[in-house]
Amino acid sequence: MASIGTLYTIPQQHNGKRIRAVAALAGVKVDLPESYVHFEDNKKPEFLAKFPHGKIPAFDGADGFKLFETAAIARYIAALPANSTLLGSNLKEAALIDQWVSFADSEISAHTTFIFQLTKGILTPYAKPLHTAVAERQLRSLKTLEAHLSTRTFLVTERITLADITVASVIQRAVSITVDAALRAQLPNVIRHFETIVNQPQLKEIFGQTEYAEKAAAYTPPPKEKKEAKPAATPAPKAPKPAKEEEDDDDIPKEEPKPKNPLDSLPKSSFNLEDWKRAYSNKDTRGPDGSLEWFYQNFDPEGFSVWRVDFKYNDELTQTFMSSNLIGGFFNRLEASRKYLFGSMGVLGETNNSVISGALIARGQDIKPVIDVAPDYESYEYKRLDLNNAEDKAFFEAALAWDLEISGKKWVDGKNFK
């Protein structure tokens, strides 16, 4: 079977899964690129010449026809076979299929994305009333879907259509973020329909294993610093209490001493992090007598380590100012590690096409004890930098000088943790 073209996507992209599932049920062959690195290849001139917005999924037809946007690509592929049933058999069925495709994207998927971005700190500031309102809107939509499916196996016809595949792709993402175990119990027909679709023999490998959230995504605020209690005044001598009262006093739970941070037990370092922060603030970063020169003269690689940090969910980023706010939120949640950590992170790129990256200087040789005070630390990837390696050193210096460039994306905004 000859391929109809190439679909640019990545395996975990739920929109790409939708299109691939449509192609599988339509009985048409769609190629995937042999080697494709997202945020790199889609920004190269040859890709942008075909798809100026640089967005995936993107379809490059064997006949030269090019198309982007998930719903458009899926509908086009569904209509290719002359005997296709994916779009219904008449205008009314086709309209109903379009109705449910639109409903899934605007009333379920959009809310999932919004809540994900809000709870991850991508959209700031976090607002509980807004989170609640969006969650309630999504619940209303899910109940509409539940009621419709309570009397039907599939959404429109007696066979799987584009509407069913679209809803399944949207629900697969929702059950990993917003539709938790308690809510799934209220939606037996939605879950039944979803599992029916994704477990079709032709689709099982495409959709892969579904991750079911036990609890819906929730925002975790940064930890507040605890104020040290003032020393209590020496109490005046009191008359001995009766034995019963002494026993009652013993029943009052005593406050446990605050555990010592293991980072405080590390051997003393010759590198003074506070002196470095002052040097970075008061000197030019590059050039003679710059802060980088000070750093290399004073750095202690036995007592400290240097790390590259990259946000895992760059495809969720939209406005660059929101991405910058995300960094600020992450730094706020690292407050408890201020005396162990320095950071320089930035937003590179442009609206709807940006990444978050930067460098950290951390106490000790393991990054986790320093950054796990932030509840969202797992939203980032960490790679140790070797300053004896020219490439790692160049990255570190560029991150500190705010002139870092990654895959053609230039630094547009940054924040420091100091």
Side-chain angles (χ1 to χ4, degrees):
M1 180 189 301
S3 170
I4 63 168
T6 300
L7 176 68
Y8 290 90
T9 183
I10 52 178
Q12 66 270 30
Q13 187 183 37
H14 68 283
N15 285 337
K17 290 180 181 180
R18 182 195 307 187
I19 297 168
R20 292 161 55 205
V22 168
L25 288 188
V28 298
K29 182 181 178 184
V30 177
D31 291 331
L32 300 178
E34 292 183 2
S35 59
Y36 173 81
V37 180
H38 195 43
F39 296 117
E40 292 183 12
D41 292 340
N42 60 318
K43 305 309 168 192
K44 292 179 179 178
E46 53 268 32
F47 189 95
L48 294 174
K50 297 177 181 179
F51 308 104
H53 199 52
K55 183 179 178 181
I56 62 170
F59 176 72
D60 188 2
D63 59 357
F65 178 61
K66 295 170 179 57
L67 197 59
F68 62 90
E69 289 298 326
T70 306
I73 300 171
R75 200 180 198 289
Y76 169 73
I77 293 177
L80 285 177
N83 60 345
S84 174
T85 59
L86 292 174
L87 296 177
S89 59
N90 55 57
L91 286 176
K92 290 181 178 179
E93 287 181 353
L96 286 170
I97 290 167
D98 287 344
Q99 166 190 284
W100 287 109
V101 168
S102 177
F103 181 85
D105 285 334
S106 62
E107 299 295 334
I108 301 175
S109 180
H111 299 328
T112 301
T113 298
F114 185 89
I115 291 172
F116 174 85
Q117 294 181 342
L118 196 63
T119 55
K120 290 293 183 181
I122 299 171
L123 295 177
T124 57
Y126 175 79
K128 178 64 175 176
L130 186 59
H131 184 172
T132 301
V134 175
E136 288 175 350
R137 285 190 176 191
Q138 186 180 62
L139 178 57
R140 178 188 172 206
S141 302
L142 290 166
K143 286 186 174 179
T144 297
L145 183 62
E146 172 69 17
H148 182 77
L149 287 170
S150 65
T151 59
R152 297 168 176 83
T153 303
F154 302 115
L155 283 162
V156 178
T157 71
E158 295 304 314
R159 294 184 175 187
I160 295 175
T161 65
L162 175 60
D164 300 291
I165 297 170
T166 299
V167 167
S169 70
V170 164
I171 294 298
Q172 185 175 51
R173 186 162 187 252
V175 296
S176 70
I177 299 171
T178 57
V179 183
D180 60 13
L183 181 51
R184 291 195 295 273
Q186 301 176 42
L187 305 170
N189 292 297
V190 171
I191 301 305
R192 180 264 306 162
H193 173 266
F194 161 69
E195 293 182 343
T196 297
I197 304 304
V198 300
N199 285 304
Q200 293 294 308
Q202 308 100 305
L203 307 184
K204 197 168 185 178
E205 185 176 348
I206 293 170
F207 280 102
Q209 187 172 357
T210 300
E211 295 181 10
Y212 291 94
E214 188 64 26
K215 292 288 186 182
Y219 175 72
T220 305
K224 294 181 180 179
E225 285 192 27
K226 292 183 179 179
K227 294 182 179 179
E228 293 186 9
K230 294 181 180 179
T234 304
K238 293 183 180 179
K241 294 181 181 180
K244 174 62 179 164
E245 291 189 18
E246 289 178 2
E247 290 172 6
D248 289 345
D249 284 346
D250 289 340
D251 289 339
I252 299 173
K254 296 178 181 178
E255 187 176 346
E256 294 292 330
K258 189 176 180 181
K260 187 177 180 181
N261 192 312
L263 294 169
D264 293 330
S265 301
L266 294 174
K268 188 174 181 180
S269 172
S270 61
F271 182 71
N272 188 305
L273 190 62
E274 295 306 312
D275 286 348
W276 155 247
K277 292 177 180 180
R278 282 190 289 272
Y280 181 81
S281 298
N282 297 326
K283 296 172 178 282
D284 290 336
T285 307
R286 298 186 185 273
D289 195 36
S291 61
L292 282 171
E293 182 178 300
W294 188 99
F295 175 83
Y296 290 124
Q297 289 172 352
N298 294 275
F299 183 60
D300 168 26
E302 299 298 323
F304 286 80
S305 51
V306 179
W307 300 79
R308 172 173 174 166
V309 55
D310 293 282
F311 188 55
K312 290 181 179 179
Y313 308 107
N314 288 314
D315 57 344
E316 301 284 350
L317 301 178
T318 55
Q319 302 290 330
T320 55
F321 79 87
M322 293 180 179
S323 303
S324 183
N325 289 342
L326 173 62
I327 300 173
F330 178 49
F331 281 173
N332 287 339
R333 291 181 280 278
L334 286 169
E335 180 61 34
S337 285
R338 187 168 294 276
K339 68 177 183 177
Y340 312 113
L341 181 68
F342 168 86
S344 181
M345 293 176 61
V347 184
L348 293 76
E350 58 190 4
T351 297
N352 295 322
N353 178 27
S354 64
V355 299
I356 291 175
S357 188
L360 303 175
I361 301 170
R363 185 73 167 102
Q365 303 301 309
D366 184 5
I367 191 65
K368 187 176 179 182
V370 183
I371 48 86
D372 66 1
V373 298
D376 57 341
Y377 81 94
E378 291 182 322
S379 295
Y380 298 82
E381 291 179 335
Y382 306 88
K383 174 192 173 187
R384 186 163 182 167
L385 296 177
D386 177 5
L387 296 181
N388 293 316
N389 176 284
E391 186 176 342
D392 284 0
K393 184 177 181 180
F395 179 93
F396 170 70
E397 293 180 354
L400 269 59
W402 287 20
D403 54 17
L404 180 65
E405 185 173 331
I406 299 176
S407 302
K409 295 181 179 64
K410 295 184 178 180
W411 190 287
V412 293
D413 194 12
K415 292 185 184 296
N416 291 124
F417 183 82
K418 56 185 179 180

